[in-house]
């Protein structure tokens, strides 16, 4: 609320949310104490499943923030320094860089989490990477720092979504209504589109 523009506001908010993922007590793969997902419709959802839902929601909010406001942020940076690339060209390069990084990261971290038999360390690390990338994008003035922030965010986002998908599959694997449980989890894809623009509209009207 107290920083200069939309990108910075999103960066600060996401930096505050990231530690919540570290605190989430996701268990090791195959841990018999891991709380199962209750059958949707019973009114009860397992604790691990609920934590996974909110963790993914926060990270998806970061994706919405970057996707919605990165171009606006770059336009402002170019306006302040005409020697930089055009905002269109800069955005295109960052998008290509993010796609390449995301492709490799997902495969490497997904395989690593399988080998170690743990999900939580990878989820925590990648969520923090995403948050750090958002902060670099929001507050960075140097083009190299902004580019590095985009790369770090892409790495964190791709890694988190890959490992998170594996963990969710593990959680719902023995649930009778797996499709309904996955439907609940996938609500994070749409619900995440509400807080970021909603906060922006609220600030505009205040």
């Amino acid at each position: 609320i107290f920083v200069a523009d939309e990108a910075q506001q999103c960066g600060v908010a996401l930096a505050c949310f990231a530690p919540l993922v570290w605190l989430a007590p996701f268990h090791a793969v195959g841990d018999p104490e891991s709380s199962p997902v209750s059958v949707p419709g019973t009114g009860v959802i397992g604790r691990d499943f609920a934590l996974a839902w909110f963790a993914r929601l926060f990270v998806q909010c970061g994706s919405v923030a970057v996707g919605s406001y990165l171009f606006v942020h770059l336009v402002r940076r170019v306006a302040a320094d005409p020697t930089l690339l055009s905002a269109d060209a800069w955005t295109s390069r960052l998008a290509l860089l993010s796609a390449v990084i995301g492709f490799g990261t997902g495969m490497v971290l997904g395989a690593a989490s399988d080998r170690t038999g743990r999900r939580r360390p990878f989820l925590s690390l990648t969520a923090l990477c995403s948050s750090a990338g958002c902060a670099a994008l929001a507050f960075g003035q140097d083009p190299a720092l902004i580019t590095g922030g985009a790369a770090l965010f892409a790495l964190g986002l791709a890694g988190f979504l890959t490992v998170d998908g594996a963990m969710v599959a593990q959680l719902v694997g023995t649930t009778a209504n797996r499709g309904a449980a996955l439907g609940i989890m996938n609500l994070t894809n749409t619900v995440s589109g509400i807080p970021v623009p909603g906060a922006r509209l609220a600030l505009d009207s205040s």
Side-chain angles (χ1 to χ4, degrees):
I1 294 174
F2 301 103
V3 289
D5 59 28
E6 299 93 337
Q8 292 181 356
Q9 291 157 6
C10 294
V12 170
L14 292 165
C16 294
F17 282 137
L20 296 176
V21 181
W22 180 264
L23 297 175
F26 302 128
H27 298 282
V29 175
D31 188 337
E33 296 182 359
S34 181
S35 56
V37 178
S38 298
V39 176
T42 63
V44 179
I45 292 182
R47 183 167 181 264
D48 282 356
F49 185 83
L51 289 169
W53 193 92
F54 281 105
R56 184 188 287 188
L57 176 65
F58 293 143
V59 173
Q60 290 282 39
C61 283
S63 180
V64 171
V66 172
S68 300
Y69 295 113
L70 179 59
F71 179 72
V72 176
H73 186 53
L74 295 182
V75 167
R76 293 182 176 182
R77 287 291 301 116
V78 172
D81 185 356
T83 63
L84 297 174
L85 284 172
S86 69
D88 290 346
W90 201 353
T91 302
S92 298
R93 293 188 180 188
L94 293 183
L96 180 60
L97 175 65
S98 297
V100 172
I101 291 175
F103 177 79
T105 299
M107 292 192 298
V108 171
L109 293 186
S113 71
D114 287 337
R115 286 196 300 271
T116 61
R118 296 191 63 82
R119 309 295 186 198
R120 178 186 173 184
F122 293 95
L123 291 172
S124 301
L125 178 61
T126 52
L128 291 172
C129 283
S130 295
S131 182
C134 280
L137 287 169
F139 297 107
Q141 299 298 315
D142 184 77
L145 182 57
I146 294 175
T147 300
L152 188 60
F153 178 79
L155 186 153
L157 181 64
F160 181 91
L161 293 179
T162 298
V163 179
D164 181 73
M167 186 190 66
V168 170
Q170 173 190 330
L171 288 174
V172 305
T174 59
T175 302
N177 291 353
R178 290 184 290 273
L182 289 174
I184 293 173
M185 182 60 66
N186 286 337
L187 287 175
T188 58
N189 299 331
T190 51
V191 174
S192 59
I194 298 174
V196 175
R200 180 65 258 173
L201 291 173
L203 290 171
D204 287 338
S205 61
S206 61

